[in-house]
Amino acid sequence: MRLDRVVTSGIFSLDGQDFDVDNNVWMVGDDNEVVVIDAAHDAETILAGVADRRLKAIISTHGHNDHINAAVEVATTAGCPIFLHPDDAMLWDVVYPEHRFDTDLTHGDVITVGGAELKVLHTPGHSPGGCCLYVPSQGMVFTGDTLFNGGPGATGRSFSSYDVILDSIEAHLFSLPADTAVHTGHGDSTSIGAEAPSMPEWRSKQE
Ligand SMILES: [Fe+2]
């Protein structure tokens, strides 16, 4: 399997506020085909990362604008479907009121690319339709904004829940092997083993 990352920059908007953000765009596949995890901000940069490979799908970890705002342009250019969990459709509709995504993500789905299997884990909390993608054969999980290096994703704005995100992380991420690499939607990677000991501390405080 081949893993590439490009970092793109733009604006996250929610609840009438704007924030400058850098997003990780992960590309999983091989030299022939690839999936893009979160087509953020900059279609040209993402398509350059795909290069001459077949883009099989864009998988959106959730519907916040900073994770999907280049998805339609990339998908249209490459001729691929966009995947999103339907519980984030109301977030998608803010960005693309006239263009529905193509395929619903469902917990337990398996997406194959480049000989690897990506297993869909529905991990609500940061948003209702938030999903992670676990690649058992590579010992890695792509967590979007559900789990970062240093803690859970933000839950202070609309459609979020701190208790729900901790339940999702505990049930679906901290049950993975400790040496599983965690590749996040923003910032540095981490591992399950590095983050799991902090759960009691996170439980003891409310965001
Ligand atoms: Fe987000």
Side-chain angles (χ1 to χ4, degrees):
M1 198 200 79
R2 173 176 159 192
L3 175 64
D4 302 280
R5 177 179 77 148
V6 298
V7 179
T8 59
S9 301
I11 293 169
F12 167 50
S13 302
L14 192 63
D15 299 338
Q17 288 183 287
D18 290 344
F19 309 86
D20 291 322
V21 286
D22 293 334
N23 281 64
N24 295 324
V25 180
W26 296 99
M27 301 182 186
V28 181
D30 60 14
D31 290 341
N32 299 312
E33 62 176 14
V34 65
V35 296
V36 164
I37 300 174
D38 290 342
H41 305 306
D42 184 346
E44 198 176 324
T45 299
I46 295 165
L47 289 163
V50 171
D52 57 357
R53 297 182 284 175
R54 184 170 81 93
L55 181 54
K56 209 170 173 187
I58 295 168
I59 306 171
S60 306
T61 59
H62 63 296
H64 282 152
N65 77 292
D66 58 321
H67 292 254
I68 63 170
N69 56 7
V72 167
E73 187 177 347
V74 171
T76 302
T77 303
C80 76
I82 301 168
F83 291 60
L84 179 71
H85 194 287
D87 289 356
D88 271 8
M90 71 297 187
L91 295 167
W92 173 272
D93 290 344
V94 172
V95 181
Y96 300 113
E98 294 173 356
H99 188 121
R100 172 80 186 191
F101 52 94
D102 301 285
T103 306
D104 289 354
L105 289 174
T106 304
H107 183 81
D109 276 356
V110 174
I111 299 161
T112 43
V113 63
E117 295 193 332
L118 285 66
K119 187 177 170 197
V120 176
L121 308 173
H122 182 210
T123 52
H126 177 69
S127 65
C131 288
C132 298
L133 298 154
Y134 177 46
V135 191
S137 66
Q138 305 294 318
M140 63 177 64
V141 63
F142 298 90
T143 55
D145 289 357
T146 293
L147 179 64
F148 291 126
N149 184 327
T155 51
R157 288 182 280 275
S158 293
F159 310 117
S160 289
S161 164
Y162 188 66
D163 289 335
V164 171
I165 200 172
L166 293 189
D167 288 348
S168 289
I169 290 169
E170 188 154 58
H172 298 302
L173 299 178
F174 288 175
S175 55
L176 302 176
D179 62 357
T180 304
V182 174
H183 297 312
T184 62
H186 306 274
D188 294 335
S189 295
T190 181
S191 70
I192 295 299
E195 303 300 330
S198 301
M199 180 56 80
E201 181 192 330
W202 299 341
R203 286 276 185 205
S204 71
K205 60 187 180 196
Q206 284 295 319
E207 190 185 67

